[in-house]
Amino acid sequence: MNINLDTAKDTLCKNILIYGYCKYENKGCVFSHNTKAAAGAVGAGGSQGAANGNSGGFDAKRKFNFNTPSFQPSVQNVTNKFAALSPRVNDIPVFVPGGSAPPSTGSSGVANSSGLSAPTSRGADSADQTDAPAKKFNVSTPIFMPSNIYGSEFPAGSETNNSIAPPTSNGGSNNPYFPGNSMVPGGTMTPGASEVFYQQQAATYPLQYHLYAPAPPPRLTFPLPPHETNANLMFIPNDLRESLQKKNEATLQTIPRSNLPDHVNTYHSLVPIDKTYEPNSEVWGIPTSLYKVFSNVDGNAYAIRKIDLTFPIINELPFRTIRKWKTVKNSNVVQVQEAFTTMAFGASKLIIAYDYYPNSNTLVEHHRRIGTRTEPITEDIMWNYTIQLVNALVAIHEKGLAARSSLSLSKIIVTNKNRVRLSSCGISDIIDFEKDEEEIGRLGGQGFINKLQREDVHRLGRVLMELSAMTISPNLRNTDKLSLLGLLRTASTLNFSSEYIEMLTKLNEDSEHFDLVQFRQIYLSSRAFKLLNELQNSNDYIESQLGSELENARLFRLMAKLNFIIDRPQAKDWNENGNKYVLKLFRDYVFFQYDEFGKPITDLSRVLVSLNKLDAGIDEKILLVSRDEKSCIMVSYKEVRDMVDSIFRTLTRDR
Ligand SMILES: Nc1ncnc2c1ncn2[C@@H]1O[C@H](COP(=O)(O)OP(=O)(O)OP(=O)(O)O)[C@@H](O)[C@H]1O
């Protein structure tokens, strides 16, 4: 038999009905033994017992079959029944009223550690003044203790040995980006409070992208006349929105419990972004890892690369080029932020911080990923890459630097459609410091940099050659440069133009002197105009999307305002002439129109046009008609807009 514990206490026990008493009363019977209340209830229902005027409630002399086995409710049965549920009935802690708790159990201690200071301390105060119960909380209830996952084990900045970055002042300051700092209304900082927020954030569910209904395939879309449009064209395209959402998600991602350090200098919330599990880098041959982090200083996301040092860094000399790297501001170079050594990982590690580009891929991942969709190589893409990489190289060389290891397929990252950037700049300058010193001694400073810059051109030629070689059969690729150039003419799946092959040949020449600026003018200038045109088109497209979203934001605010006002339950101004009534009629005018055949009009563009006119407050007049068609009013959009504004102002003032 199913017994509902909630309703059982209001149901008169059958033993009372049958025997006039229940021997399990006060021994666990969950039914009511209050015969007076029951009699009232039954009387109200017009029962026989009440009609007999039986104030005792029940006629004990009624004839019943005494052989009927008695009903014996037992708490045990009930608890067994619900025992499998969670929380377990057996395990529910017994509520101990505040007054019964001994005042000496350290109530203030609980209050302090649980953070429930306001109500508990009030209880403690009153205990000092009166004999009233000292506490209002059950001391046996487990306290809530936010875990301090950012414990001060790794104080910011304390582990830094060498850094060319300016000293940061955030340690323990009131900087809101510092993870241990959070403002409470009183203006004091509560270490730990932001961690709770942080952990909750990490537990959020991933966005369900499919909740955004995709546009139907073209064959299913209705052919519309040119003056009409469909809803999908009015909003940001699904693929663009999804890619932006994913980038935001990647940027905000955190790992609440990891064995990574809480802080690395001024950075916190480390999330590994390496996609391979190879500890050793293919480029440098030593263990490196890349993490997305947040800065304590400005709250922005950055990418930091941790490098296991092969030699101890004891002064700032190996970092000498980093200051120059920080001045390289180019759209095809990932900005270098700073470099320092740290003990945050247990042993001394080199860290170099860069700008973070969410969801970026290396050129290898972009074009050679196995198993998933890859971007096919075309000649246009190759020209695009060449122009962008030459642009990066010229900017780097102008600063007296060399790209070095950054010019490799696994260090050039694709951050957007066909947008490439040189990442990991400056690393070779630090890890090859000792070798470089010897070379500088031999060649002189300028001779050494000239040599590196010449090598950059070779590297660029090799990168472009490797990418182009992806268009020929894999078993033909392992050959020398000259043969490969020949194969690109004859065996490529792409019909590369002779112009492209010529440019590639020039880059792969072994000459001692190479003028990159001259190369740019001769081989790339005409192509650069094509790229410029594409970039401008893309810029126009992004701007138009931004424009439509701008409208959405504006209209969303207006819709929110209208909904704050219309149909508000306690609205007083609903008489037939009141302003809110006009707004209600306006809502009907925009959303609840019918055509001449009585069919509802659900024309989104009409809604957009009307709301835009309302937001702009134009003088155009409209006729608003009540639902019963007994009253109508002529108003301008401007008048309606003024009503919205004034009522909304009243609403916000009344708060
Ligand atoms: N500044 C950055 N911002 C965001 N992601 C980056 C950044 N730099 C690199 N990445 C991404 O991090 C991932 C790992 O980069 P990494 O340079 O370690 O490549 P790798 O193939 O593992 O090379 P290696 O063999 O040298 O370790 C790549 O997917 C790359 O796109």
Side-chain angles (χ1 to χ4, degrees), residues 273-286 288-290 292 302-305 334-335 354-365 408-415 423-424:
I273 46 176
D274 277 292
K275 294 192 184 89
T276 58
Y277 294 100
E278 272 306 315
N280 277 8
S281 159
E282 274 182 28
V283 174
W284 301 292
I286 50 175
T288 76
S289 324
L290 205 61
K292 185 212 68 164
Y302 292 97
I304 60 168
R305 190 179 287 275
V334 176
Q335 179 75 45
Y354 299 94
D355 277 1
Y356 171 68
Y357 290 93
N359 287 353
S360 58
N361 285 316
T362 63
L363 272 183
V364 186
E365 291 162 347
S408 58
L409 284 181
S410 71
K411 295 292 160 280
I412 299 167
I413 59 172
V414 184
T415 55
S423 79
S424 307

Side-chain angles (χ1 to χ4, degrees), residues 5 37 84 115 124 146 198 261 280 351 374 377 383-384 420 423 446 455 554 643:
L5 283 175
Y198 167 82
N280 277 8
I351 303 286
T374 53
I377 288 175
W383 279 112
N384 274 357
V420 287
S423 79
Q446 192 54 46
E455 279 171 14
R554 196 176 88 161
M643 286 175 203

Side-chain angles (χ1 to χ4, degrees), residues 1 31 91 159 163 220 239 279 380 398-399 438 457 479 553:
M1 179 178 169
F31 292 92
D91 298 340
E159 73 284 349
S163 170
L220 294 181
D239 50 350
D380 275 348
E398 272 172 8
K399 297 280 177 188
E438 288 169 19
V457 177
T479 178

Side-chain angles (χ1 to χ4, degrees), residues 411-578:
K411 295 292 160 280
I412 299 167
I413 59 172
V414 184
T415 55
N416 226 331
K417 191 165 169 52
N418 296 347
R419 283 286 276 110
V420 287
R421 286 179 162 88
L422 292 192
S423 79
S424 307
C425 294
I427 293 183
S428 296
D429 293 346
I430 301 175
I431 59 181
D432 289 340
F433 169 72
E434 286 175 341
K435 265 190 275 166
D436 291 354
E437 284 294 281
E438 288 169 19
E439 287 274 285
I440 291 171
R442 217 162 41 82
L443 302 170
Q446 192 54 46
F448 176 64
I449 201 68
N450 289 346
K451 176 177 167 276
L452 291 183
Q453 292 184 348
R454 181 69 194 99
E455 279 171 14
D456 274 356
V457 177
H458 285 306
R459 279 174 184 275
L460 174 64
R462 201 161 53 233
V463 161
L464 295 177
M465 192 82 112
E466 279 177 47
L467 276 179
S468 310
M470 286 182 194
T471 62
I472 59 174
S473 161
N475 54 347
L476 298 176
R477 288 178 201 165
N478 285 335
T479 178
D480 62 288
K481 270 195 292 189
L482 268 181
S483 324
L484 209 52
L485 280 167
L487 285 170
L488 285 180
R489 278 198 190 91
T490 54
S492 165
T493 51
L494 291 182
N495 210 355
F496 282 118
S497 65
S498 54
E499 206 186 343
Y500 177 74
I501 301 288
E502 200 186 322
M503 182 274 292
L504 212 54
T505 314
K506 177 74 187 166
L507 268 185
N508 282 285
E509 269 175 9
D510 281 330
S511 70
E512 268 309 299
H513 299 288
F514 189 94
D515 190 338
L516 200 58
V517 178
Q518 201 183 22
F519 168 82
R520 190 176 61 174
Q521 274 162 7
I522 297 172
Y523 292 92
L524 304 180
S525 52
S526 62
R527 289 282 167 172
F529 279 105
K530 197 163 179 252
L531 179 62
L532 185 70
N533 187 44
E534 282 165 17
L535 286 176
Q536 291 190 131
N537 281 340
S538 139
N539 196 40
D540 290 347
Y541 169 76
I542 301 281
E543 199 178 317
S544 69
Q545 294 306 327
L546 191 66
S548 68
E549 289 303 298
L550 195 79
E551 291 297 290
N552 290 345
R554 196 176 88 161
L555 296 183
F556 171 77
R557 281 196 293 268
L558 184 62
M559 290 279 289
K561 267 188 189 176
L562 284 173
N563 280 291
F564 278 133
I565 300 167
I566 301 172
D567 286 346
R568 179 166 282 273
Q570 69 270 37
K572 296 166 229 144
D573 200 6
W574 281 119
N575 61 58
E576 303 266 308
N577 304 314

Side-chain angles (χ1 to χ4, degrees), residues 199-447:
Q199 283 187 336
Q200 282 170 350
Q201 256 203 345
T204 53
Y205 289 96
L207 263 182
Q208 298 284 304
Y209 300 107
H210 62 266
L211 287 182
Y212 299 106
R219 71 191 159 78
L220 294 181
T221 45
F222 279 118
L224 292 172
H227 66 279
E228 285 183 19
T229 184
N230 68 37
N232 284 306
L233 297 178
M234 291 186 202
F235 303 104
I236 190 167
N238 288 322
D239 50 350
L240 178 59
R241 183 182 46 225
E242 185 174 330
S243 125
L244 293 175
Q245 297 269 26
K246 281 184 174 164
K247 282 187 178 182
N248 279 353
E249 230 182 319
T251 307
L252 297 174
Q253 187 197 0
T254 49
I255 303 180
R257 278 168 289 277
S258 75
N259 49 11
L260 293 167
D262 294 340
H263 290 90
V264 176
N265 200 21
T266 55
Y267 302 100
H268 64 90
S269 308
L270 279 70
V271 176
I273 46 176
D274 277 292
K275 294 192 184 89
T276 58
Y277 294 100
E278 272 306 315
N280 277 8
S281 159
E282 274 182 28
V283 174
W284 301 292
I286 50 175
T288 76
S289 324
L290 205 61
Y291 303 95
K292 185 212 68 164
V293 291
F294 285 106
S295 159
N296 285 340
V297 181
D298 58 13
N300 290 334
Y302 292 97
I304 60 168
R305 190 179 287 275
K306 177 192 78 160
I307 299 177
D308 286 10
L309 287 168
T310 48
F311 65 98
I313 294 182
I314 45 169
N315 54 37
E316 285 199 2
L317 274 181
F319 297 130
R320 66 188 161 193
T321 60
I322 294 296
R323 198 168 284 122
K324 277 193 194 170
W325 274 111
K326 286 168 72 177
T327 65
V328 178
K329 310 239 186 262
N330 185 275
S331 56
N332 297 114
V333 179
V334 176
Q335 179 75 45
V336 179
Q337 292 295 330
E338 59 173 327
F340 53 87
T341 56
T342 179
M343 294 296 287
F345 293 88
S348 179
K349 306 279 173 189
L350 168 66
I351 303 286
I352 309 185
Y354 299 94
D355 277 1
Y356 171 68
Y357 290 93
N359 287 353
S360 58
N361 285 316
T362 63
L363 272 183
V364 186
E365 291 162 347
H366 195 61
H367 290 292
R368 210 195 276 160
R369 202 185 293 145
I370 299 154
T372 50
R373 203 170 68 91
T374 53
E375 190 70 27
I377 288 175
T378 63
E379 186 175 327
D380 275 348
I381 288 184
M382 290 310 299
W383 279 112
N384 274 357
Y385 288 170
T386 312
I387 292 168
Q388 293 179 64
L389 295 177
V390 168
N391 180 41
L393 267 197
V394 170
I396 291 169
H397 289 185
E398 272 172 8
K399 297 280 177 188
L401 294 163
R404 305 179 81 172
S405 54
S406 305
L407 263 174
S408 58
L409 284 181
S410 71
K411 295 292 160 280
I412 299 167
I413 59 172
V414 184
T415 55
N416 226 331
K417 191 165 169 52
N418 296 347
R419 283 286 276 110
V420 287
R421 286 179 162 88
L422 292 192
S423 79
S424 307
C425 294
I427 293 183
S428 296
D429 293 346
I430 301 175
I431 59 181
D432 289 340
F433 169 72
E434 286 175 341
K435 265 190 275 166
D436 291 354
E437 284 294 281
E438 288 169 19
E439 287 274 285
I440 291 171
R442 217 162 41 82
L443 302 170
Q446 192 54 46

